[in-house]
């Protein structure tokens, strides 16, 4: 295990949020899309379900996209700003089948604040652990999705948004076949 389980869950949610706009797609086009994303990611707490909430989540996505590829000093600045703006107050909580873990916002806080706080807390662990190199961009030439590499040998190169790894492997196989033939 590289990170605590709740940190890994939060990091995977960040990947899902960032990749919801990868490769020219917009997977958070409507409130129903946000509802489905939050359900899939297990986000709980209060919701306004209005256009402002959707816009704030999209704005957070842009911030997290910048953070994902930032150098360590810039990442620290963004993480600290996100925590400050959300008025984060870390607390141990236990709920919904989860044992003790950290929350830094109350369930009544605005959705984007809760999401940014969770992301910032997880990314703070990444930064403190000197693990920024685990935050990558897909190596497929035609893909701009992000990758979270939690493998022991740090070998994950392709995203989970499509068939990037399969396409790269097929292309490499065909190139070897062509070179041999």
């Amino acid at each position: 295990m590289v990170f605590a389980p709740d940190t890994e869950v939060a990091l995977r949610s960040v990947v899902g949020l960032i990749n919801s706009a990868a490769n020219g797609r917009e997977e958070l086009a409507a409130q129903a899309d946000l509802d489905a994303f939050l359900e899939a990611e297990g986000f709980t707490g209060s919701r306004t379900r209005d256009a402002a909430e959707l816009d704030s989540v999209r704005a957070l996505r842009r911030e997290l996209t910048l953070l994902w590829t930032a150098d360590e000093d810039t990442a620290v600045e963004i993480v600290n700003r996100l925590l400050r703006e959300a008025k984060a107050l870390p607390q141990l909580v236990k709920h919904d089948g989860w044992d003790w873990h950290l929350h830094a916002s109350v369930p009544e806080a605005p959705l984007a604040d809760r999401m940014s706080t969770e992301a910032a807390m997880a990314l703070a662990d990444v930064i403190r652990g000197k693990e920024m190199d685990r935050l990558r961009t897909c190596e497929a030439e035609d893909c701009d999705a992000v990758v979270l590499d939690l493998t022991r040998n740090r070998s994950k190169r392709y995203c989970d948004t499509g068939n990037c790894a399969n396409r790269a492997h097929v292309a490499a196989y065909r190139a070897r076949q062509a070179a041999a033939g």
Side-chain angles (χ1 to χ4, degrees), residues 27-59:
E27 294 178 1
L28 296 179
Q31 192 62 49
D33 301 328
L34 179 59
D35 293 344
F37 174 80
L38 296 172
E39 176 71 25
E41 296 298 328
F43 271 94
T44 59
S46 67
R47 298 275 313 281
T48 59
R49 289 185 168 77
D50 60 13
E53 182 178 73
L54 180 58
D55 290 342
S56 66
V57 171
R58 286 191 203 129

Side-chain angles (χ1 to χ4, degrees), residues 164-177:
C164 292
N166 188 46
R167 284 184 291 118
H169 294 133
V170 168
Y173 170 79
R174 289 182 179 156
R176 285 192 306 273
Q177 294 300 312

Side-chain angles (χ1 to χ4, degrees), residues 56-125:
S56 66
V57 171
R58 286 191 203 129
L60 173 61
R61 179 178 62 193
R62 286 189 296 276
E63 293 271 353
L64 294 174
T65 301
L66 293 173
L67 196 157
W68 200 265
T69 57
D71 62 76
E72 184 177 81
D73 290 338
T74 304
V76 168
E77 288 176 25
I78 296 170
V79 164
N80 285 339
R81 184 176 45 72
L82 290 173
L83 291 170
R84 205 172 33 253
E85 288 175 357
K87 298 173 181 63
L89 179 61
Q91 305 168 55
L92 285 169
V93 295
K94 186 190 262 191
H95 64 88
D96 298 324
W98 282 88
D99 202 353
W100 293 112
H101 60 284
L102 281 174
H103 275 228
S105 59
V106 295
E108 299 78 30
L111 175 63
D113 286 353
R114 292 193 321 271
M115 291 176 76
S116 69
T117 300
E118 256 191 61
M121 294 289 290
L123 289 158
D125 281 352

Side-chain angles (χ1 to χ4, degrees), residues 11-27 37 41 61 65 68 136-148 156-167:
L11 290 170
R12 286 188 173 106
S13 290
V14 171
V15 169
L17 181 59
I18 293 171
N19 287 346
S20 70
N23 302 316
R25 292 186 323 266
E26 176 52 79
E27 294 178 1
F37 174 80
E41 296 298 328
R61 179 178 62 193
T65 301
W68 200 265
R136 303 188 181 147
T137 303
C138 183
E139 289 187 18
E141 290 181 19
D142 60 344
C143 184
D144 64 2
V146 298
V147 176
L148 173 63
K156 188 166 182 170
R157 299 171 47 205
Y158 300 101
C159 70
D160 298 323
T161 63
N163 296 316
C164 292
N166 188 46
R167 284 184 291 118

